[in-house]
Amino acid sequence: MGPPTTMLGMFCLAGIYGNVMKIDTTGASEATAKQDKFIIKGVEASEKLAEHDLARMENYKSIINKVGRAKEMDPAVIAAIISRESRAGAALKDGWGDHGNGFGLMQVDKRYHKQVGAWGSEEHVTQGTEILIDFIKAIKAKFPQWTKEQCFKGGISAYNAGVNNVRSYERMDEGTTGGDYSNDVVARAQFFKSQGYFFYLCYDPPDPHEFCVACLGLAHAEAALNDETCAHCAELPVRALRARREVARATVGMRPTAASKPLVGPPPPEDEVFDAVFQAKLLQSLDDGAVDPDVIRDLRAATDLALMATKRSAQAISRSMGFMVVLNRHLWLTLADLKDSDRKTLLNAPVTPSVLFGPQTILAMFFLACIYGDVMKIDTTGASEATAKQDKLTIKGVEASKKLAEHDLARMEKYKSIITKVGRAKKMDPAVIAAIISRESRAGAALKDGWGDHGNGFGLMQVDKRYHKLVGAWDSEEHVTQGTEILIGFINAIKAKFPQWTQEQCFKGGISAYNAGVNNVRTYERMDVGTTGGDYSNDVVARAQWFKSKGY
């Protein structure tokens, strides 16, 4: 399914430097087109050149999108510069180009910049993007009368030939390589935009979809409740589909499904905050004769009071607008066709002032896509005294579990992207995966060359070599995927063994079985008897609830 175009304005932003889709372009010159032996030139040639680089570009797409989000730069433009500069790496020899002067995907010139990171790394792409941003800002300073998009294009041209080479908008590419640099890059960027190189304000989709719920649109969200044309939607529970529909409806300004009346409108206009008569009289007195120091002093005092009143009025209006957003969202979700528990999750999500449902609300829907239950609803007694002694803690219980998890947080951050990716793919709460990694290997700190448990447990999640064929490196995505699949297998086995248990009880039972096996789980209350430390599932759940508060 290709990216829809109707929703790009709200969640797939172009970045703060302008919208590349609004920039005029003549595309590639004949000289540039000859790189791939084209007999055409212009925009069509640029699109073909970009298309030839597309397969290689996919290797760097996650890096490009991540840097784009961090630097608020359109990933399509970053991809286009990489395509133009290094053909997505194909034009490089050991990471170098331009007769040994240009380094990496974005050809950072060693004569002017100190190289950072490997040639295909996130650090390198970040450096190249920062250089581009500096050029855009320099062009803004040089041509303050130019529009945002004109400065954007000028900065792209300067990336190749410098700020001094940009003398006019129409002839900015004279002196650039091929005489077409900015026009070719813009045309390639517009092509990459059509291939899914977007700036996701909502970050990565919180489920297996390629695009977020806002980008997929209302039609997709409503169709998912009526049929199973989308394989990803077919795997989601109904409550998640309903939540997706309500968010999609909000993005296009429609009332919630259960609403019969329009939502609360905008607040009434504010009255004047001060009377300017006194100030006007003072100004008139200055026109009538010589300057009077007393009049000047009074005028300054009146002006200061006016500015203070304006500031306080602006603050009051801002608070009122924020309150209206919160009230509007609360009303919307109250009227929406959702379960109380699901509605509460969306209500508790952080508010984005500019829109009714912002990126954090969509991320809050993650647990709805976790089909094994909500870890925040699972009861837990936390770590036992024996487990707490690992870090010489004098406390036990939930507080001890939180401390243990906190001690692992810095190391865990290195694997956060892998954990989140696997969680999305397997519909498993990333906080639970992180908690198991914390418990099993202390985020790698307890391992020796990737091994633990007297040489039987492998990797971050301590997959036992006696029962499983090991996959991937000890800290790889493949390993975390295998460990997560093993956990899911145990959860499903507990469901089959205890069909009367609730979803969350089976979730906790599966976590206990991950340590001591399904046969060890005999009752809900005593499921941890026989597990390492006599507390495995309780400790993991408590750690997961803590990791949840840290953005997992």
Side-chain angles (χ1 to χ4, degrees):
M1 178 182 295
T5 58
T6 56
M7 298 302 300
L8 298 183
M10 184 168 295
F11 282 87
C12 296
L13 304 182
I16 63 175
Y17 303 101
N19 186 354
V20 74
M21 302 304 290
K22 294 181 179 179
I23 301 178
D24 59 285
T25 175
T26 55
S29 65
E30 186 175 348
T32 299
K34 283 182 178 179
Q35 288 181 13
D36 287 14
K37 300 179 180 179
F38 291 150
I39 57 174
I40 56 174
K41 61 179 181 177
V43 173
E44 187 178 356
S46 295
E47 291 176 347
K48 285 289 186 183
L49 289 161
E51 186 178 5
H52 287 182
D53 296 336
L54 187 60
R56 292 186 298 274
M57 196 70 70
E58 290 295 302
N59 296 326
Y60 311 107
K61 187 173 183 180
S62 61
I63 290 176
I64 293 170
N65 280 334
K66 184 176 181 181
V67 173
R69 287 197 301 268
K71 298 300 177 182
E72 297 180 278
M73 171 58 65
D74 194 328
V77 174
I78 301 175
I81 290 177
I82 290 174
S83 173
R84 169 71 188 229
E85 290 286 346
S86 67
R87 303 309 301 272
L92 305 181
K93 184 175 181 181
D94 297 327
W96 291 90
D98 188 20
H99 308 291
N101 293 316
F103 178 73
L105 294 173
M106 297 186 74
Q107 286 292 275
V108 174
D109 198 312
K110 71 177 184 180
R111 295 169 293 185
Y112 308 107
H113 305 282
K114 182 179 179 181
Q115 276 65 58
V116 178
W119 66 268
S121 67
E122 179 184 331
E123 293 79 6
H124 164 73
V125 176
T126 298
Q127 182 186 28
T129 303
E130 289 172 345
I131 293 170
L132 171 63
I133 291 170
D134 288 341
F135 279 126
I136 295 171
K137 291 178 178 178
I139 292 294
K140 283 182 179 179
K142 186 176 182 179
F143 301 99
Q145 73 279 16
W146 281 14
T147 66
K148 183 184 289 188
E149 276 71 28
Q150 286 176 323
C151 292
F152 200 177
K153 187 177 182 181
I156 293 172
S157 179
Y159 187 89
N160 176 258
V163 174
N164 292 334
N165 188 71
V166 181
R167 298 179 178 87
S168 69
Y169 183 76
E170 295 75 14
R171 304 180 64 177
M172 68 171 63
D173 275 349
E174 290 185 8
T176 64
T177 307
D180 66 345
Y181 190 85
S182 70
N183 281 285
D184 180 36
V185 167
V186 167
R188 296 194 199 202
Q190 292 172 353
F191 170 82
F192 281 118
K193 188 75 103 175
S194 71
Q195 301 302 310
Y197 286 77
F198 299 122
F199 175 79
Y200 283 104
L201 181 63
C202 58
Y203 295 84
D204 297 323
D207 56 54
H209 285 92
E210 184 178 359
F211 301 100
C212 71
V213 60
C215 296
L216 290 171
L218 177 59
H220 183 100
E222 289 183 333
L225 286 165
N226 299 320
D227 53 51
E228 297 184 358
T229 55
C230 173
H232 297 314
C233 286
E235 295 177 0
L236 295 176
V238 174
R239 61 184 185 145
L241 297 178
R242 286 176 178 166
R244 291 170 65 85
R245 178 187 61 188
E246 296 306 330
V247 171
R249 289 174 71 88
T251 60
V252 295
M254 294 180 64
R255 293 196 303 269
T257 51
S260 58
K261 297 181 180 180
L263 295 177
V264 176
E270 297 290 325
D271 294 331
E272 292 280 331
V273 296
F274 70 97
D275 187 358
V277 175
F278 177 63
Q279 188 176 7
K281 287 182 178 180
L282 291 175
L283 291 171
Q284 183 64 40
S285 70
L286 293 178
D287 293 334
D288 291 341
V291 176
D292 186 339
D294 292 334
V295 172
I296 293 294
R297 185 173 59 252
D298 289 343
L299 181 59
R300 286 175 176 171
T303 303
D304 288 344
L305 288 172
L307 290 173
M308 290 174 61
T310 302
K311 178 181 178 181
R312 295 290 182 264
S313 176
Q315 290 174 338
I317 292 172
S318 298
R319 292 190 184 99
S320 297
M321 292 176 65
F323 174 75
M324 291 306 299
V325 170
V326 174
L327 181 62
N328 208 0
R329 189 169 104 170
H330 192 283
L331 176 60
W332 192 292
L333 289 171
T334 300
L335 296 173
D337 181 21
L338 296 172
K339 291 183 178 179
D340 288 342
S341 59
D342 300 338
R343 185 181 293 109
K344 182 178 179 182
T345 299
L346 299 181
L347 281 172
N348 289 337
V351 173
T352 301
S354 58
V355 290
L356 196 59
F357 292 107
Q360 295 301 321
T361 306
I362 294 181
L363 291 178
M365 294 168 60
F366 193 104
F367 101 91
L368 298 177
C370 176
I371 61 177
Y372 303 101
D374 183 2
V375 73
M376 302 303 292
K377 295 179 180 178
I378 301 177
D379 59 285
T380 175
T381 56
S384 66
E385 186 175 350
T387 299
K389 284 182 177 178
Q390 288 181 10
D391 287 12
K392 300 179 181 179
L393 301 177
T394 57
I395 55 175
K396 61 179 181 178
V398 173
E399 287 304 312
S401 295
K402 290 179 179 179
K403 283 291 184 183
L404 290 161
E406 185 178 1
H407 291 175
D408 296 336
L409 183 61
R411 292 185 297 272
M412 195 69 70
E413 290 293 302
K414 294 187 294 184
Y415 311 111
K416 187 173 183 179
S417 60
I418 291 176
I419 293 168
T420 302
K421 185 176 181 181
V422 173
R424 283 202 309 269
K426 298 300 177 182
K427 305 184 187 65
M428 172 56 65
D429 194 328
V432 174
I433 301 175
I436 289 177
I437 290 174
S438 174
R439 169 69 188 232
E440 289 286 344
S441 67
R442 305 307 302 272
L447 305 181
K448 185 176 181 180
D449 298 326
W451 291 90
D453 190 19
H454 309 291
N456 294 316
F458 178 72
L460 293 172
M461 298 185 74
Q462 287 291 275
V463 174
D464 198 312
K465 70 178 184 181
R466 295 168 295 184
Y467 306 105
H468 305 281
K469 182 179 179 181
L470 305 181
V471 178
W474 67 271
D475 57 351
S476 65
E477 179 183 331
E478 292 81 5
H479 165 72
V480 176
T481 298
Q482 183 184 28
T484 303
E485 289 174 345
I486 292 170
L487 171 63
I488 291 170
F490 280 126
I491 295 171
N492 291 333
I494 292 295
K495 284 181 180 179
K497 185 175 182 179
F498 302 100
Q500 74 279 15
W501 281 13
T502 67
Q503 189 174 37
E504 276 71 29
Q505 287 176 322
C506 292
F507 200 176
K508 187 177 182 182
I511 293 171
S512 179
Y514 187 88
N515 175 258
V518 175
N519 292 335
N520 188 73
V521 181
R522 297 178 178 86
T523 65
Y524 183 76
E525 294 74 16
R526 294 169 58 83
M527 66 171 63
D528 275 349
V529 175
T531 64
T532 306
D535 65 346
Y536 190 86
S537 70
N538 281 285
D539 180 34
V540 167
V541 167
R543 295 194 199 202
Q545 292 172 350
W546 187 86
F547 279 117
K548 194 76 141 177
S549 70
K550 298 302 176 183
Y552 283 79

